[in-house]
Amino acid sequence: MKKLVFIFVMLGMFSCGDYIDKPKNLIESEVMAEILADLTITDQAVVIYQNKNLEAGTRFVLKTHKVKSEDFVNSFQYYVIKDKMKDIAEDAQKIVLKKDPKAEKYVQDKLKNAGNTPVLDK
C-alpha cells in the first residue's frame, strides 16, 4: 500500500511541469522588448498631450509591429510566469535610451530622488 501511495505522489509531482503552456503565437523576447519600448514612449506622449487617446496609441504600436492584442497579452502572461519579463523590460529600457538619449538623465534623476527603494525580487 505504501508503494502505491508513493507512486501516485511521484506521478503527481512530475505531471505538474509548467504553470502555463507556451502560447501558439508567442512573440519573441526581442520583439516584445521593442513593443514595450514603443508603448513606453507612447505612454509619455499621452502624458504630454493629455487630450489624446492612449488606446489608439497602443493599437498603433501593435499594428506597427504586426502583432494582435491577444498574442501580446498571452505572450506577456507567459513571460511573467516564466520569470523572463525583468530581462525583457531591461532590454526595452536600453531601446528607449537609444531612441532618446535625454531619457538617461531623466532616469538617473528619478533613481537619485527615489533613494533606497526596495528591489521587488522573489
Side-chain angles (χ1 to χ4, degrees):
M1 186 66 160
K2 287 183 182 180
K3 290 181 182 179
L4 187 62
V5 170
F6 177 74
I7 291 172
F8 281 121
V9 168
M10 294 305 285
L11 283 173
M13 287 176 60
F14 289 114
S15 66
C16 300
D18 286 337
Y19 295 119
I20 188 170
D21 293 330
K22 187 175 180 178
K24 199 175 187 182
N25 297 325
L26 181 68
I27 301 169
E28 294 296 323
S29 60
E30 297 83 19
V31 176
M32 192 71 163
E34 290 175 17
I35 292 171
L36 290 177
D38 289 344
L39 287 174
T40 302
I41 292 168
T42 302
D43 184 45
Q44 289 303 311
V46 170
V47 169
I48 294 170
Y49 304 106
Q50 294 181 1
N51 295 331
K52 301 299 176 190
N53 186 353
L54 177 62
E55 186 177 334
T58 303
R59 274 190 257 127
F60 175 75
V61 169
L62 293 177
K63 187 176 180 180
T64 302
H65 290 280
K66 298 176 183 163
V67 172
K68 294 180 183 176
S69 60
E70 181 181 318
D71 294 339
F72 176 78
V73 170
N74 291 337
S75 297
F76 189 87
Q77 289 173 342
Y78 177 79
Y79 286 128
V80 167
I81 290 174
K82 291 294 186 177
D83 201 26
K84 297 179 181 181
M85 189 49 75
K86 182 178 179 181
D87 296 332
I88 294 171
E90 288 173 358
D91 291 343
Q93 184 176 10
K94 290 175 188 174
I95 292 169
V96 169
L97 294 176
K98 280 182 187 176
K99 289 184 177 185
D100 186 10
K102 294 177 187 176
E104 188 166 5
K105 183 181 181 308
Y106 177 80
V107 169
Q108 294 303 326
D109 289 345
K110 284 292 184 182
L111 289 174
K112 208 181 290 184
N113 292 336
N116 293 330
T117 55
V119 178
L120 300 175
D121 281 335
K122 292 183 181 178

